[in-house]
Amino acid sequence: VLLIAPSLSFSPSAQAGSLGRHVLGVTLRNTRRRVGLAASTVSLAEADANLQTVFNFATDNATMYFERIDDAIMGGISLSALKNTSEDYASWSGICRTDGGGFCGMRTLPFREPLDANGSDGLFVDCRLASDDEPERRVWKITCRTDESRGEMVYQAAFPMQKGTEFSRVFVLFDDFQLVRGPRVVPGAPKINVTNGIYQIGMSLSKFVIGANTTELENFRAGFFDLQIRQIGFYNANKQKDMPAVVSVDTLSKSEVNKQRPLLLKILLPISKLFFSEKANRRKSAMKLLRKRGLSRTKAILWGIKTRAAKMGFVPSLFKAAAIIGIDSFRTALGAVLKVCLFYPFVFLGKFVKFIKKNVFGMKVKERPSMT
């Protein structure tokens, strides 16, 4: 059950109970009874609850605890950032592109100590979409991690975003979270258990719907977005329960996170950057776009030199173009060498093993289906 409450006003000090005088527990129970209803919008008074603020972007430099995790990790070219503003909110904004990916995300650095979520019903977010009036054309998700792992499996729940210029308070029950790998639900996974604490919190904007299979949202709106966020924290619908108004947060630094990586990962990451460079992916996407517009590869390169020359001068632009061509050529050549030295030998070895099993030992070998 997901609830959104439009916020008429905001006061950083009104976090635990001074904003409202009604019990959200009644609304939650009534909403659960509405079979098939996945979300409801209620007034601020009806949505009042015990709030426990974890990140207050109105008064704290809370953006320092977050890092971006856009689709560049899977070859995409989307780009986003969470930034402080001069107002009482932080701005999570960027450009989400579907070429090679289709999502933008941010997450906290690992907490030094897990956040105590015992007694909480779920997570809340005070936010509004400032860039446009089509929030339903994206999939908005909130994520939490319940162990110290940094793997691809996390607990995640989608939430609706309200239209309009006013801030809304989004409530997401822990019961709505599902264990996912990417956008796909992990079959037979246990329900979320927060008794041992929350180790990481994140949010994402995606073209992918959470489900058993990888499914894209119809009529997904790519391009620029700006989500303004005031608070993220825990909530409890039972006003009788006492909860601290604020949670103390401390995360590892990026350098500490890098030091904790396994040795093999430390070796492989620099190598992987040779083949999965974010800048190289953007150049490749730009080249595809220019080729679609009728430019040859040579003309596209000359256009790039001319464009950069207006900002940095002709000679520096020429040298930069030469450096880019050299780096991309080296990356292509290195990839071809690794294919010849590593990929093809493994393919040959696999076929040789199958041949021995089938013809020498008489074992059944699973053949790949023909592509014709």
Side-chain angles (χ1 to χ4, degrees):
V1 179
L2 307 176
L3 297 176
I4 308 178
S7 175
L8 301 179
S9 60
F10 175 76
S11 170
S13 62
Q15 295 173 350
S18 60
L19 283 176
R21 291 165 295 280
H22 298 272
V23 179
L24 178 62
V26 176
T27 305
L28 282 169
R29 288 192 290 272
N30 291 340
T31 306
R32 287 194 187 102
R33 295 191 189 108
R34 301 171 192 168
V35 178
L37 185 61
S40 295
T41 303
V42 294
S43 68
L44 181 62
E46 291 176 317
D48 190 23
N50 276 339
L51 302 183
Q52 193 174 32
T53 301
V54 179
F55 300 106
N56 186 350
F57 299 100
T59 58
D60 304 331
N61 185 24
T63 57
M64 65 182 291
Y65 298 118
F66 287 80
E67 62 179 354
R68 63 176 283 243
I69 178 167
D70 299 327
D71 57 19
I73 60 174
M74 55 178 289
I77 57 172
S78 298
L79 183 65
S80 71
L82 179 67
K83 300 178 181 179
N84 291 318
T85 70
S86 58
E87 305 297 330
D88 60 353
Y89 54 78
S91 171
W92 177 39
S93 60
I95 298 176
C96 184
R97 302 188 186 277
T98 56
D99 187 4
F103 69 89
C104 290
M106 61 161 178
R107 66 183 180 188
T108 61
L109 293 161
F111 298 129
R112 291 188 184 278
E113 297 293 335
L115 303 183
D116 185 3
N118 288 307
S120 301
D121 290 330
L123 292 167
F124 81 90
V125 183
D126 287 355
C127 58
R128 70 178 174 189
L129 183 62
S131 55
D132 57 83
D133 199 31
E134 294 186 315
E136 73 281 359
R137 291 182 58 190
R138 291 100 159 182
V139 182
W140 304 92
K141 305 174 184 177
I142 190 164
T143 301
C144 61
R145 197 182 293 276
T146 57
D147 56 37
E148 294 181 288
S149 71
R150 296 278 284 175
E152 58 180 339
M153 290 196 298
V154 294
Y155 282 95
Q156 193 173 76
F159 63 90
M161 184 73 64
Q162 190 179 47
K163 293 183 179 182
T165 59
E166 298 295 330
F167 275 85
S168 299
R169 180 162 293 156
V170 180
F171 294 95
V172 185
L173 284 167
F174 283 131
D175 288 344
D176 290 328
F177 282 81
Q178 301 177 82
L179 188 65
V180 299
R181 180 185 285 111
R184 291 177 294 179
V185 176
V186 178
K191 284 189 172 185
I192 189 170
N193 183 354
V194 299
T195 55
N196 292 325
I198 301 293
Y199 287 78
Q200 194 174 51
I201 296 173
M203 294 178 65
S204 63
L205 173 163
S206 176
K207 71 175 182 179
F208 299 106
V209 178
I210 299 175
N213 302 307
T214 302
T215 306
E216 295 185 12
L217 178 69
E218 293 184 8
N219 198 30
F220 173 74
R221 176 167 175 161
F224 178 73
F225 73 95
D226 183 8
L227 183 68
Q228 297 171 348
I229 307 173
R230 279 176 170 165
Q231 293 186 99
I232 300 175
F234 301 125
Y235 78 93
N236 187 286
N238 186 353
K239 292 283 291 181
Q240 304 304 317
K241 286 189 176 181
D242 292 329
M243 294 174 65
V246 180
V247 177
S248 178
V249 176
D250 190 17
T251 66
L252 299 176
S253 66
K254 289 185 178 180
S255 60
E256 289 175 314
V257 172
N258 292 335
K259 287 180 181 179
Q260 290 185 2
R261 286 173 176 163
L263 179 61
L264 181 61
L265 193 59
K266 290 180 181 178
I267 297 172
L268 292 178
L269 274 178
I271 298 174
S272 67
K273 288 181 180 179
L274 290 173
F275 301 99
F276 302 103
S277 165
E278 192 171 347
K279 290 183 178 180
N281 289 336
R282 295 183 188 282
R283 290 196 295 269
K284 188 182 296 183
S285 178
M287 178 62 74
K288 285 181 181 179
L289 182 61
L290 292 173
R291 295 295 295 272
K292 284 182 180 180
R293 294 179 178 178
L295 272 69
S296 65
R297 184 175 182 83
T298 301
K299 287 184 178 180
I301 293 173
L302 292 175
W303 180 84
I305 294 173
K306 182 180 178 180
T307 303
R308 281 191 296 269
K311 296 181 179 180
M312 59 193 310
F314 178 75
V315 175
S317 177
L318 189 63
F319 277 107
K320 187 174 181 65
I324 290 172
I325 293 171
I327 292 171
D328 287 350
S329 299
F330 171 76
R331 184 179 289 112
T332 302
L334 182 60
V337 170
L338 290 177
K339 276 187 178 179
V340 172
C341 297
L342 296 176
F343 179 72
Y344 292 128
F346 275 111
V347 172
F348 174 77
L349 181 62
K351 290 183 177 180
F352 179 73
V353 170
K354 284 185 178 180
F355 176 83
I356 295 297
K357 286 182 177 180
K358 183 177 180 179
N359 296 283
V360 177
F361 296 103
M363 299 171 64
K364 289 184 178 181
V365 177
K366 186 178 181 181
E367 299 290 346
R368 290 185 178 180
S370 173
M371 300 300 290
T372 60

Short mmCIF file of all heavy atoms in Angstrom, two decimals, residues 280-305:
data_model
loop_
_atom_site.label_atom_id
_atom_site.label_comp_id
_atom_site.label_asym_id
_atom_site.label_seq_id
_atom_site.Cartn_x
_atom_site.Cartn_y
_atom_site.Cartn_z
N ALA A 280 33.12 7.38 -23.62
CA ALA A 280 33.16 6.68 -24.91
C ALA A 280 31.75 6.29 -25.34
O ALA A 280 31.41 6.37 -26.53
CB ALA A 280 34.04 5.44 -24.81
N ASN A 281 30.91 5.87 -24.37
CA ASN A 281 29.53 5.53 -24.70
C ASN A 281 28.76 6.75 -25.22
O ASN A 281 27.95 6.65 -26.14
CB ASN A 281 28.82 4.97 -23.47
CG ASN A 281 29.32 3.59 -23.10
OD1 ASN A 281 29.84 2.87 -23.94
ND2 ASN A 281 29.17 3.21 -21.84
N ARG A 282 29.03 7.92 -24.62
CA ARG A 282 28.36 9.14 -25.07
C ARG A 282 28.82 9.51 -26.48
O ARG A 282 28.01 9.95 -27.31
CB ARG A 282 28.65 10.28 -24.09
CG ARG A 282 28.08 10.05 -22.71
CD ARG A 282 28.33 11.26 -21.82
NE ARG A 282 27.94 10.94 -20.45
CZ ARG A 282 26.69 10.92 -20.02
NH1 ARG A 282 25.70 11.22 -20.85
NH2 ARG A 282 26.40 10.61 -18.77
N ARG A 283 30.11 9.36 -26.74
CA ARG A 283 30.61 9.66 -28.09
C ARG A 283 30.01 8.71 -29.12
O ARG A 283 29.64 9.12 -30.23
CB ARG A 283 32.14 9.56 -28.12
CG ARG A 283 32.85 10.67 -27.36
CD ARG A 283 34.31 10.75 -27.76
NE ARG A 283 35.04 9.54 -27.37
CZ ARG A 283 35.67 9.39 -26.22
NH1 ARG A 283 35.63 10.36 -25.32
NH2 ARG A 283 36.32 8.28 -25.95
N LYS A 284 29.89 7.45 -28.74
CA LYS A 284 29.31 6.47 -29.66
C LYS A 284 27.85 6.80 -29.94
O LYS A 284 27.39 6.71 -31.09
CB LYS A 284 29.41 5.07 -29.03
CG LYS A 284 29.02 3.94 -29.97
CD LYS A 284 29.09 2.59 -29.27
CE LYS A 284 30.50 2.27 -28.85
NZ LYS A 284 30.58 0.92 -28.22
N SER A 285 27.11 7.20 -28.91
CA SER A 285 25.71 7.57 -29.09
C SER A 285 25.58 8.81 -29.97
O SER A 285 24.71 8.89 -30.85
CB SER A 285 25.06 7.82 -27.73
OG SER A 285 23.71 8.22 -27.88
N ALA A 286 26.46 9.80 -29.74
CA ALA A 286 26.43 11.02 -30.55
C ALA A 286 26.76 10.71 -32.01
O ALA A 286 26.15 11.28 -32.93
CB ALA A 286 27.42 12.03 -29.98
N MET A 287 27.72 9.82 -32.23
CA MET A 287 28.08 9.44 -33.59
C MET A 287 26.91 8.76 -34.30
O MET A 287 26.63 9.04 -35.49
CB MET A 287 29.31 8.51 -33.57
CG MET A 287 29.75 8.01 -34.94
SD MET A 287 30.27 9.37 -36.05
CE MET A 287 31.88 9.79 -35.33
N LYS A 288 26.20 7.88 -33.59
CA LYS A 288 25.03 7.23 -34.18
C LYS A 288 23.98 8.25 -34.59
O LYS A 288 23.38 8.15 -35.66
CB LYS A 288 24.42 6.23 -33.17
CG LYS A 288 25.20 4.95 -32.99
CD LYS A 288 24.48 4.05 -32.00
CE LYS A 288 25.25 2.75 -31.77
NZ LYS A 288 24.55 1.87 -30.78
N LEU A 289 23.78 9.25 -33.72
CA LEU A 289 22.78 10.28 -34.00
C LEU A 289 23.16 11.10 -35.23
O LEU A 289 22.33 11.38 -36.10
CB LEU A 289 22.62 11.18 -32.77
CG LEU A 289 21.56 12.29 -32.88
CD1 LEU A 289 20.19 11.69 -33.09
CD2 LEU A 289 21.58 13.15 -31.61
N LEU A 290 24.44 11.46 -35.33
CA LEU A 290 24.89 12.25 -36.47
C LEU A 290 24.84 11.44 -37.77
O LEU A 290 24.52 11.98 -38.84
CB LEU A 290 26.32 12.76 -36.22
CG LEU A 290 26.46 13.80 -35.11
CD1 LEU A 290 27.93 14.10 -34.84
CD2 LEU A 290 25.72 15.09 -35.47
N ARG A 291 25.14 10.14 -37.66
CA ARG A 291 25.07 9.28 -38.85
C ARG A 291 23.63 9.14 -39.34
O ARG A 291 23.36 9.08 -40.54
CB ARG A 291 25.66 7.90 -38.55
CG ARG A 291 27.15 7.90 -38.23
CD ARG A 291 28.00 8.33 -39.41
NE ARG A 291 27.92 7.38 -40.51
CZ ARG A 291 28.70 6.31 -40.64
NH1 ARG A 291 29.62 6.06 -39.71
NH2 ARG A 291 28.58 5.52 -41.67
N LYS A 292 22.70 9.08 -38.37
CA LYS A 292 21.28 9.01 -38.74
C LYS A 292 20.83 10.28 -39.45
O LYS A 292 19.90 10.26 -40.26
CB LYS A 292 20.42 8.79 -37.48
CG LYS A 292 20.44 7.37 -36.94
CD LYS A 292 19.53 7.23 -35.74
CE LYS A 292 19.56 5.81 -35.20
NZ LYS A 292 18.67 5.68 -34.00
N ARG A 293 21.48 11.39 -39.12
CA ARG A 293 21.14 12.67 -39.74
C ARG A 293 21.82 12.86 -41.10
O ARG A 293 21.71 13.94 -41.70
CB ARG A 293 21.49 13.82 -38.81
CG ARG A 293 20.65 13.83 -37.53
CD ARG A 293 21.05 14.97 -36.61
NE ARG A 293 20.21 15.00 -35.41
CZ ARG A 293 20.37 15.88 -34.41
NH1 ARG A 293 21.34 16.78 -34.48
NH2 ARG A 293 19.57 15.85 -33.36
N GLY A 294 22.53 11.84 -41.54
CA GLY A 294 23.10 11.88 -42.88
C GLY A 294 24.56 12.24 -42.97
O GLY A 294 25.11 12.34 -44.08
N LEU A 295 25.24 12.46 -41.85
CA LEU A 295 26.66 12.80 -41.88
C LEU A 295 27.50 11.53 -41.96
O LEU A 295 27.19 10.53 -41.32
CB LEU A 295 27.07 13.59 -40.63
CG LEU A 295 26.91 15.12 -40.70
CD1 LEU A 295 25.44 15.50 -40.74
CD2 LEU A 295 27.61 15.77 -39.50
N SER A 296 28.56 11.58 -42.75
CA SER A 296 29.52 10.48 -42.77
C SER A 296 30.35 10.54 -41.50
O SER A 296 30.32 11.55 -40.77
CB SER A 296 30.42 10.58 -44.00
OG SER A 296 31.23 11.75 -43.91
N ARG A 297 31.12 9.50 -41.24
CA ARG A 297 31.94 9.48 -40.04
C ARG A 297 32.96 10.63 -40.06
O ARG A 297 33.18 11.30 -39.06
CB ARG A 297 32.66 8.13 -39.91
CG ARG A 297 33.47 7.99 -38.63
CD ARG A 297 34.06 6.60 -38.51
NE ARG A 297 34.80 6.46 -37.26
CZ ARG A 297 34.24 6.17 -36.09
NH1 ARG A 297 32.93 6.01 -36.02
NH2 ARG A 297 34.98 6.06 -35.02
N THR A 298 33.55 10.84 -41.23
CA THR A 298 34.54 11.92 -41.36
C THR A 298 33.90 13.28 -41.11
O THR A 298 34.45 14.13 -40.39
CB THR A 298 35.17 11.89 -42.76
OG1 THR A 298 35.80 10.62 -42.96
CG2 THR A 298 36.21 12.99 -42.90
N LYS A 299 32.74 13.51 -41.71
CA LYS A 299 32.06 14.80 -41.53
C LYS A 299 31.62 14.99 -40.08
O LYS A 299 31.64 16.12 -39.57
CB LYS A 299 30.86 14.88 -42.46
CG LYS A 299 31.23 15.08 -43.93
CD LYS A 299 29.98 15.25 -44.79
CE LYS A 299 30.35 15.51 -46.24
NZ LYS A 299 29.15 15.67 -47.10
N ALA A 300 31.24 13.90 -39.43
CA ALA A 300 30.85 13.99 -38.02
C ALA A 300 32.03 14.39 -37.15
O ALA A 300 31.90 15.21 -36.23
CB ALA A 300 30.26 12.66 -37.55
N ILE A 301 33.21 13.83 -37.44
CA ILE A 301 34.41 14.18 -36.68
C ILE A 301 34.78 15.65 -36.93
O ILE A 301 35.13 16.39 -35.99
CB ILE A 301 35.58 13.25 -37.07
CG1 ILE A 301 35.28 11.81 -36.60
CG2 ILE A 301 36.89 13.74 -36.47
CD1 ILE A 301 36.28 10.79 -37.08
N LEU A 302 34.70 16.08 -38.18
CA LEU A 302 35.01 17.47 -38.51
C LEU A 302 34.02 18.43 -37.84
O LEU A 302 34.41 19.51 -37.38
CB LEU A 302 34.98 17.67 -40.02
CG LEU A 302 36.10 16.97 -40.81
CD1 LEU A 302 35.89 17.14 -42.30
CD2 LEU A 302 37.48 17.52 -40.40
N TRP A 303 32.76 18.01 -37.77
CA TRP A 303 31.75 18.83 -37.08
C TRP A 303 32.09 18.96 -35.60
O TRP A 303 31.94 20.03 -35.01
CB TRP A 303 30.37 18.21 -37.27
CG TRP A 303 29.28 18.98 -36.59
CD1 TRP A 303 28.60 20.06 -37.08
CD2 TRP A 303 28.74 18.72 -35.28
NE1 TRP A 303 27.68 20.50 -36.16
CE2 TRP A 303 27.74 19.70 -35.05
CE3 TRP A 303 29.00 17.78 -34.30
CZ2 TRP A 303 27.00 19.75 -33.87
CZ3 TRP A 303 28.28 17.83 -33.12
CH2 TRP A 303 27.29 18.81 -32.91
N GLY A 304 32.55 17.86 -35.00
CA GLY A 304 32.95 17.89 -33.59
C GLY A 304 34.12 18.81 -33.35
O GLY A 304 34.16 19.56 -32.36
N ILE A 305 35.11 18.79 -34.26
CA ILE A 305 36.27 19.67 -34.13
C ILE A 305 35.84 21.13 -34.22
O ILE A 305 36.28 21.99 -33.43
CB ILE A 305 37.30 19.35 -35.24
CG1 ILE A 305 37.89 17.95 -35.02
CG2 ILE A 305 38.41 20.39 -35.26
CD1 ILE A 305 38.78 17.48 -36.15
#
